[in-house]
Amino acid sequence: MGSARLRVGAFFDVDKTIISENSANMFFKELYERGEIDTWQVLAGLGAYLRYKLNLLDIERWTERNLQIFAGRNEQALAREVEGMVREQLIPVIYPEADRLVRQHIEDGHLVALVSGATQFVIYPIATHLNVKHTLYTHLEADDGVLTGRVLKPICFGEGKIYWIQQLIEREGIELAKSYFYTDSITDLPLLDLVGHPVAVNPDPLLYRKALSRHWPVRFFRAP
């Protein structure tokens, strides 16, 4: 494939980059309010989030363990259930600046993709709202429409994001040297190093220091 045919990519992390909340925290809060999980599970989730922000969490092990709660659930029913939660709780907290930025990249003819460790159930409604056609996410395994409780590896996190983006690059023909990646988290450093235009959005302290040292753009979006 000649370089003239390669496209510019614009990749966006979702939690704290597109939306001002962490989607996993919001979802587990919803489960708690419905009585599907107990207080200790909520506290464990908050503790895991703090370790994640410090880049200390074994995210693959945590994801595999916690998503087992969906084993036996009907895939379509869960999709409808989560879509309702996303529309009520997450769509309203999309950063207006992120919304405008996504739409500007689309207008510029760039291939825009949401790249998140969240599952397809969370990412699809957000992508639909933003008119984004490409989504990379953590895949929950299903067998004949029923979730098994297992996660397809690699999960879409850290180096795993590079794996899934590589599939998109090869399929769509994307030139990384001219592409953009927006994220708030130091855990996305491998992907930031991969693109020609890395951008830190509302960065955590570790990413903020790294961005300053690398002279990367830093943007602060205001919560709606």
Side-chain angles (χ1 to χ4, degrees):
M1 178 178 291
S3 60
R5 296 176 57 191
L6 295 178
R7 302 180 65 183
V8 174
F11 308 113
F12 288 82
D13 177 46
V14 175
D15 290 347
K16 300 291 187 176
T17 302
I18 291 290
I19 60 176
S20 63
E21 300 289 344
N22 178 274
S23 60
N25 288 347
M26 297 287 282
F27 186 66
F28 280 103
K29 178 183 177 183
E30 177 83 3
L31 292 179
Y32 172 75
E33 291 176 348
R34 296 207 309 250
E36 296 185 28
I37 60 174
D38 58 30
T39 303
W40 289 111
Q41 288 172 293
V42 174
L43 292 176
L46 291 174
Y49 178 67
L50 292 175
R51 295 197 303 278
Y52 160 75
K53 296 302 289 184
L54 295 172
N55 203 20
L56 299 174
L57 180 67
D58 183 341
I59 191 68
E60 184 165 316
R61 182 179 178 185
W62 183 89
T63 299
E64 289 179 336
R65 183 173 64 248
N66 282 274
L67 295 186
Q68 289 175 1
I69 64 174
F70 298 120
R73 296 286 299 273
N74 179 275
E75 186 176 20
Q76 292 186 355
L78 182 61
R80 290 192 296 269
E81 179 182 321
V82 176
E83 181 179 6
M85 184 273 290
V86 171
R87 293 191 179 281
E88 291 179 7
Q89 300 188 37
L90 298 184
I91 297 299
V93 296
I94 291 176
Y95 289 114
E97 297 96 331
D99 189 309
R100 290 192 294 269
L101 189 58
V102 166
R103 297 180 192 282
Q104 184 62 58
H105 277 293
I106 293 174
E107 289 177 10
D108 290 343
H110 299 164
L111 185 148
V112 178
L114 303 188
V115 187
S116 174
T119 69
Q120 62 266 41
F121 305 112
V122 171
I123 298 306
Y124 282 162
I126 296 174
T128 299
H129 177 80
L130 294 172
N131 199 31
V132 172
K133 297 180 180 178
H134 299 278
T135 53
L136 304 175
Y137 48 78
T138 293
H139 295 247
L140 293 186
E141 182 186 72
D143 182 13
D144 197 24
V146 178
L147 297 171
T148 66
R150 293 189 293 271
V151 179
L152 298 185
K153 295 182 179 179
I155 67 169
C156 195
F157 180 86
E159 296 287 348
K161 283 188 177 180
I162 293 180
Y163 172 84
W164 292 110
I165 280 182
Q166 191 63 43
Q167 314 308 305
L168 183 65
I169 289 169
E170 294 176 0
R171 186 170 65 248
E172 299 292 338
I174 298 170
E175 186 171 2
L176 283 176
K178 294 182 179 180
S179 294
Y180 299 77
F181 180 53
Y182 301 85
T183 184
D184 71 299
S185 178
I186 190 65
T187 60
D188 284 325
L189 185 59
L191 187 48
L192 288 165
D193 283 334
L194 200 62
V195 299
H197 300 285
V199 183
V201 175
N202 299 332
D204 60 39
L206 295 175
L207 179 57
Y208 183 68
R209 289 198 292 270
K210 181 67 69 174
L212 291 182
S213 68
R214 299 279 189 90
H215 304 289
W216 291 341
V218 178
R219 301 187 63 168
F220 294 96
F221 296 164
R222 297 181 62 183

